[in-house]
Amino acid sequence: MRRRFNAFISFDIEGISGVSSWNEVANNASTLHAYRKIATAEVNAAIRGIKAGRPKIGEILVCDSHAQGENLIITDLEPGVTIIKGSPRRYYMVEGIDRKFNILFCIGYHAMVGSQRAGMDHTYSSSVIYNIMINGRHVGETEINAAVAGYYGVPLGLVSGDDVLATEVRSFFGRTVAMVITKYGISRFSARCRLPSEVHAEIEKKAAQVVSKSTALRPFRFKIPIRAEFELMNSAMGDAVEPIPGVKRMAARTCAYNAKNILEFYNILRLICALGRLTQ
Ligand SMILES: [Zn+2]
């Protein structure tokens, strides 16, 4: 008997079709509701694709991971899913992932901080993090979250976001991970956008394809111990995070941390972002 297939969908909003700046999705923006609807439809396309590609679905868990995790419209989601929302939560963008899942999808993602022409490029905190390196290589949210999933043996299967993110995904994960380009970056707050209906059709199709041949995917892991370097926006943030046990101040704005695994790294990252914000 074939085992049931469990899928984890991590959702962010910057990479969905149509959004080109944070102003459009700010809490008081008149456009917020329209983008919440597009975001929910984009996640729904992934859910429909997963269901179409696998006869036996066990669990589909959606993790609403932009800002406070209050973006997706629960009454509009496809049936048969549960959703993690709200904050704080220890593992934020991948809260709830564990060994029972067979695949990770990253919907609405964006390129790492410092990526040219990328829509709203940042890594976890646009106000605190200037750069993150793991084992000497710059990384963004997609790689970090894929590595948390990889810790549990869960491979990354599909990513949606702009063309700059697509290049990043290709360089880390190769061509086995399905990529749906939602827009083409012009600058940090400008893009040439595809229509949501066309993006959603492609997500549904590629989701079905990738889950039907998911055994070809491999979990993504960084070599351990993880040697992390955090470059912060200013020296006050360096002062604030320096007392964290295990953190080594390398320079005014730079600190290092050696983590025994990606979960420990994730906790330190979240702590650094939280403490860094307090200096503002
Ligand atoms: Zn976000």
Side-chain angles (χ1 to χ4, degrees):
M1 204 175 83
R2 275 176 93 176
R3 280 179 56 226
R4 290 190 181 276
F5 188 84
N6 302 315
F8 188 100
I9 302 176
S10 176
F11 160 79
D12 204 355
I13 212 164
E14 286 87 351
I16 67 163
S17 44
V19 177
S20 56
S21 93
W22 280 308
N23 297 335
E24 295 169 319
V25 291
N27 279 337
N28 56 357
S30 59
T31 43
L32 177 61
H33 187 68
Y35 286 113
R36 290 181 72 197
K37 284 186 79 156
I38 295 172
T40 307
E42 209 150 304
V43 169
N44 278 342
I47 296 166
R48 283 195 304 275
I50 292 165
K51 287 177 174 175
R54 281 280 174 165
K56 280 191 165 183
I57 297 294
E59 182 175 352
I60 300 177
L61 180 58
V62 178
C63 188
D64 187 340
S65 314
H66 172 70
Q68 306 305 307
E70 297 169 349
N71 309 281
L72 298 168
I73 303 167
I74 193 165
T75 48
D76 289 355
L77 281 171
E78 291 281 341
V81 305
T82 50
I83 175 168
I84 286 180
K85 63 188 294 286
S87 67
R89 52 196 199 221
R90 188 164 174 180
Y91 293 105
Y92 189 28
M93 301 187 82
V94 276
E95 181 72 49
I97 199 153
D98 63 25
R99 293 195 178 281
K100 74 170 168 290
F101 290 98
N102 302 98
I103 203 162
L104 167 71
F105 279 17
C106 294
I107 297 292
Y109 268 47
H110 50 81
M112 70 174 76
V113 62
S115 301
Q116 197 171 343
R117 283 195 313 102
M120 293 163 274
D121 62 305
H122 68 284
T123 302
Y124 271 90
S125 170
S126 56
S127 59
V128 175
I129 300 292
Y130 190 82
N131 266 322
I132 299 177
M133 296 220 286
I134 289 182
N135 299 341
R137 191 170 182 192
H138 287 102
V139 296
E141 293 176 13
T142 315
E143 296 78 37
I144 292 168
N145 297 341
V148 174
Y151 175 86
Y152 293 108
V154 181
L156 176 64
L158 181 143
V159 180
S160 74
D162 70 17
D163 62 323
V164 183
L165 176 64
T167 304
E168 182 182 317
V169 165
R170 290 280 167 264
S171 77
F172 275 90
F173 307 103
R175 295 209 162 263
T176 50
V177 171
M179 179 77 213
V180 177
I181 295 176
T182 58
K183 53 199 159 193
Y184 297 86
I186 293 170
S187 71
R188 195 177 196 212
F189 300 121
S190 172
R192 176 166 61 89
C193 298
R194 296 178 68 200
L195 295 183
S197 56
E198 289 168 18
V199 169
H200 301 169
E202 188 179 333
I203 288 176
E204 186 170 342
K205 188 172 148 215
K206 287 191 171 168
Q209 286 169 350
V210 77
V211 299
S212 69
K213 52 180 174 62
S214 66
T215 45
L217 300 168
R218 293 286 166 267
F220 177 74
R221 295 185 180 97
F222 292 108
K223 233 175 122 188
I224 51 171
I226 285 169
R227 294 181 42 78
E229 213 171 290
F230 300 89
E231 201 176 346
L232 309 173
M233 285 292 176
N234 61 52
S235 58
M237 294 175 182
D239 299 333
V241 308
E242 192 176 10
I244 298 173
V247 163
K248 194 169 171 215
R249 186 88 174 257
M250 310 298 283
R253 293 189 295 132
T254 311
C255 56
Y257 189 93
N258 289 341
K260 68 177 185 295
N261 59 38
I262 194 74
L263 302 186
E264 185 183 347
F265 163 85
Y266 202 94
N267 285 316
I268 293 297
L269 165 62
R270 300 279 292 137
L271 200 48
I272 285 174
C273 291
L275 281 175
R277 277 192 205 105
L278 290 179
T279 64
Q280 294 176 305

